[in-house]
Every structure is written in structure tokens, then in C-alpha cells.
DNA sequence: GACATATGGTCCCATAGGGAGTATAAGGCA
DNA sequence: TGCCTTATACTCCCTATGGGACCATATGTC
């Protein structure tokens, strides 16, 4: 339909939201902040650009409205958009990408003081508590039958469970790590070799041995 | 020291590797593929650019060597580099960033067939098995006292445990999700409301309630 | 001697992050 | 009534990043 840049996964994320209902760009940005951004985080500026690309590809329609004297644009998916979305869903996408500056800092802990590393590990726990708060609130809403998209509850349950377990994992790891770091000497080369901790790690990883 | 672009977290990742020992750029790229890339994934082209930036900032030294007629560059950290690294380690960095196209596809499962979603969930499990393989092998090496950096075993244990539990989480989630998806009707709005699954999710998220 | 694979890189462009900047609308309060 | 704050509704720009294409030499194997 055009020689426009090809669709990216971010395009499909926006297209997916439009398949649920029409949104203004501002609402799309909010939605990314509050929910979709937890599994597909993107900068605000991109959220405002993507719908325009979808329109150029014929996958969405833009409707200009007026709120007082201020214009706003509401986007809706087209039939071709629904087909394109379905085609994307037919091919499993990439697996999870993890990127964690805090883990990087733990990885290079020998160049820091144990106190610094402890602070980093505690920051990881605080992050998990904060993220868990919003996720728990959303889960309780749906449990009470009060979520905004009751017809999507089956899908949301799957994603919500992943996030719940993920935040929990970060917190439990941080607690365990903090206990170890508290007993670290200043020179990490002198740290006691934690044979049983390694054995436990290996045990936990052996699930994939058939 | 310069009006060069500022250091990024990727700069510190490379600087950290240089604090362990000198590496050629090719070795750095390999190291990112095999180990550091699991917590800070970056494109190869960037790995070749970063050390040059470190040199411009006075944080690393480059030594040109010859292997036959072919030149290669080996980078080593400077005293200023060690100070800069330590300063970065003093401030806890950003928390984990998760980005998962597969979860996005599950999120929009009402536009796919249950069979498509099942394939996506199975792809997630396969991803976890694959990632776990390398991680388990490394853990076993260190457990046997055969890892390449025995003096770094304390830090590596912490990061290794995080990854172990993370891959396990993905696999267990995928198994659980597959069971549910297998019972999905074609129209997801007719899917049975899984009250007990929501209750279980809420229970698992309640760890942060004080 | 031929060929595959490992080593050691450079270059380019579209995508992405993220902050600064610009306006208007709506709601609260004095 | 007017003022102030917050929400709505965007645009622009600069640098970082992803990732593939491309190039060359060295080493190991048959």
C-alpha cells in the first residue's frame, strides 16, 4: 500500500489496542503508560507517531474532532488492519528481552563496596514493590468483576499472572541476595565460596533436563 | 576530558569488562554474546564503537597489535577508568526492563485462534529451555571449580541465580498458560471466567502488603 | 591446495528513547 | 469573577540503538 517504513512490533502493539476500541492518541499514550508498557515499553513520542504510520498503511482511519477550539485525533482500526493483526498473531514473536542495569552493577560488584551493592539490591526490591502495587490493584479489580474490559479477562489473566510472578521473583531474589551481600568482606575475592548456593542454583535449573 | 557524547550504561558495561582484564574488541563482542548479553543485550556494532569512546574519555587505552599481517586492537582500563566505574557503581541504576513480543501476542489473543496462541506460548517455553541450557552449563562449571573467573564467583552466583529463576519462571508460566489455552473456545468472550485463577494470582501478588 | 570457519573489524539507515517545548480545556478555590 | 493547577493533545529534535551488509585475513581440516 506504500513504500513507508515497514511495520514494527510497536506498530502491532498500537494496532492491537485499536482492535479493542478506537482511541485518541493521548489515550493510547496513557494506555501504554499504565498497562501495555509493562510488556512493551515505548517512549511517548513514538506512540504519537505510530498511528500515523498505520493510517498510511491503510490499517487505521483517523477522525479529527474538536474539543472546544482544540483539535484531537481519534484512530479506529480498518478491516485490513484486523487482517494484518491476525496475520502477525499467526507467527510466534520473539521471546522476552531482559535488560537490567542493577544486575550489571551486581555483576561488577568487585569494583564497588559491599554497601553500594547492598543499596543496589535494595533498589531492585523497591522497584518490585512499586510495580507489584499497580499489578495487584488491577488483578483485584478484575477479580471483583470491575475491570474496564471484562470480555478480555481470559487474556489479561495470563499476562497478569506472568507479571505477578515476575515482580515476586525480583523481590525474592533481592531478599536472598541482600542476605549474602551483608556477609561479604570488603575484598570480594575473599568472599566465602558458597558451594551449597551453587548446588541449589544447579538444582533449580535442572527442570529442563529430560 | 572531551565534548564527546556522554557515557551510557553500555559504556559502563564495557568498562566493567575491561576492569576484569584487557580484551580485544572481538573478545568483548563474544563476551556480550555469551554472558553479559543476558542482562544487557546490545548489537555487535555498538560493542565495536564503545571502546573507542572510552579511549576518547581517557578511561581506556588501546594497543594495536599484529596477528600476521592483520591488525587487532586490545583495550585496557586506565586508573581514571576504574574511578569512573566505581562512581557509577555508587548510584543504583534502573530496574529491570521487560520487553516481550510473545506476551503482547497473548494480550491480543482475541484476534487470534486459540491454536495460534498455543503456538506462541509453546515458543516461550522453547525459548526458556534454550536459554536455560547455557546458564545451567555455566553454573555446573563454577560448581566444579572450573569457571573462567574463579575470583568473581560470589558476584556471578547472584546474577546466575537470577537468570536461573527467571528462565524457570518463563517455562512454568508457559506450561500453566498452555493448559488454560487448550481449553479456550474459538470466541474468547465465551471463555470460562477463571475465578480461582484470579484468586491465586492475587494471593501470589500479596507478598508486598505489609 | 581448497575450503570452511574463526577472527577482526567498518558502514549505514531506520527505529527508539527521552526530554523540551507549545497550546487549550477543565476543575477547584477564593 | 479570576487565578491557578492539572489534564488533554500534541510536535520537534538529538543521540543511542538494532541489525544487517560488507570486507579482509588467519587458522584448521580434509
Amino acid at each position: 500500500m506504500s513504500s513507508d517504513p515497514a511495520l514494527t512490533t510497536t506498530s502491532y502493539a498500537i494496532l492491537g489496542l485499536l482492535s479493542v476500541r478506537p482511541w485518541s492518541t493521548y489515550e493510547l499514550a496513557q494506555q501504554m503508560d499504565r498497562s501495555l508498557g509493562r510488556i512493551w515499553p515505548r517512549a511517548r513520542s513514538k506512540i504519537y507517531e505510530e498511528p500515523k504510520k498505520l493510517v498510511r498503511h491503510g490499517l487505521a482511519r483517523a477522525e479529527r474532532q474538536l474539543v472546544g477550539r482544540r483539535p484531537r485525533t481519534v484512530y479506529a482500526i480498518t478491516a485490513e488492519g484486523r487482517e494484518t493483526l491476525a496475520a502477525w498473531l499467526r507467527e510466534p514473536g520473539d521471546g522476552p528481552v531482559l535488560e537490567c542495569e542493577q544486575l550489571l552493577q551486581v555483576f561488577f560488584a568487585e569494583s564497588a563496596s559491599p554497601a553500594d551493592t547492598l543499596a543496589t539490591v535494595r533498589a531492585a526490591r523497591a522497584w518490585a514493590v512499586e510495580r507489584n502495587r499497580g499489578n495487584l490493584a488491577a488483578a483485584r479489580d478484575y477479580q471483583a468483576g470491575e475491570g474496564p474490559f471484562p470480555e478480555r479477562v481470559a487474556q489479561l489473566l495470563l499476562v497478569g499472572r506472568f507479571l505477578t510472578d515476575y515482580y515476586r521473583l525480583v523481590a525474592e531474589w533481592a531478599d536472598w541476595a541482600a542476605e549474602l551481600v551483608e556477609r561479604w568482606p570488603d575484598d570480594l575475592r575473599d568472599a566465602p565460596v558458597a558451594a551449597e548456593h551453587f548446588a541449589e542454583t544447579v538444582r533449580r535449573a535442572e527442570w529442563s533436563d529430560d
Side-chain angles (χ1 to χ4, degrees), chain A:
Chain A
M1 184 97 349
S2 71
S3 58
D4 243 280
L7 299 178
T8 64
T9 301
T10 304
S11 313
Y12 291 109
I14 300 295
L15 192 57
L17 282 175
L18 295 184
S19 79
V20 174
R21 72 166 178 81
W23 309 78
S24 75
T25 339
Y26 184 79
E27 288 172 320
L28 285 172
Q30 273 195 324
Q31 207 57 26
M32 291 299 279
D33 278 357
R34 292 191 193 144
S35 86
L36 247 204
R38 275 141 184 273
I39 55 176
W40 198 258
R42 283 304 176 263
R44 232 153 204 281
S45 54
K46 296 300 132 190
I47 307 310
Y48 278 91
E49 285 166 19
E50 282 302 334
K52 299 178 184 173
K53 188 157 98 180
L54 294 178
V55 169
R56 288 196 302 271
H57 280 263
L59 310 178
R61 257 188 315 272
E63 191 196 341
R64 307 283 289 183
Q65 301 179 340
L66 275 184
V67 182
R69 286 184 302 140
R70 190 176 52 183
R72 72 169 193 164
T73 315
V74 173
Y75 292 90
I77 195 169
T78 63
E80 200 187 333
R82 288 196 190 277
E83 282 165 36
T84 304
L85 180 64
W88 170 65
L89 288 167
R90 245 166 258 134
E91 286 303 313
D94 291 339
V97 172
L98 171 71
E99 180 178 290
C100 183
E101 187 174 13
Q102 290 164 353
L103 274 177
L104 208 52
Q105 292 177 317
V106 170
F107 192 83
F108 294 123
E110 76 267 39
S111 295
S113 73
D116 293 341
T117 304
L118 192 56
T120 296
V121 164
R122 296 221 162 109
R125 189 183 206 281
W127 176 92
V129 169
E130 170 60 24
R131 287 298 178 112
N132 192 60
R133 200 188 313 279
N135 196 49
L136 176 54
R140 281 181 172 145
D141 281 353
Y142 274 100
Q143 189 186 21
E146 288 167 4
F149 299 104
E151 75 282 6
R152 291 176 29 80
V153 73
Q155 306 91 289
L156 296 178
L157 171 65
L158 295 198
V159 175
R161 171 66 73 87
F162 185 97
L163 292 175
T164 295
D165 285 355
Y166 179 57
Y167 300 142
R168 189 189 175 97
L169 162 67
V170 173
E172 285 180 351
W173 172 83
D175 288 339
W176 170 78
E179 265 187 64
L180 290 189
V181 173
E182 271 165 4
R183 278 178 274 137
W184 274 0
D186 279 342
D187 190 330
L188 259 186
R189 287 171 299 187
D190 302 333
V193 181
E196 58 203 285
H197 286 294
F198 259 104
E200 170 67 12
T201 301
V202 167
R203 256 196 308 281
R204 287 181 185 222
E206 277 170 343
W207 58 269
S208 64
D209 281 359
D210 300 326

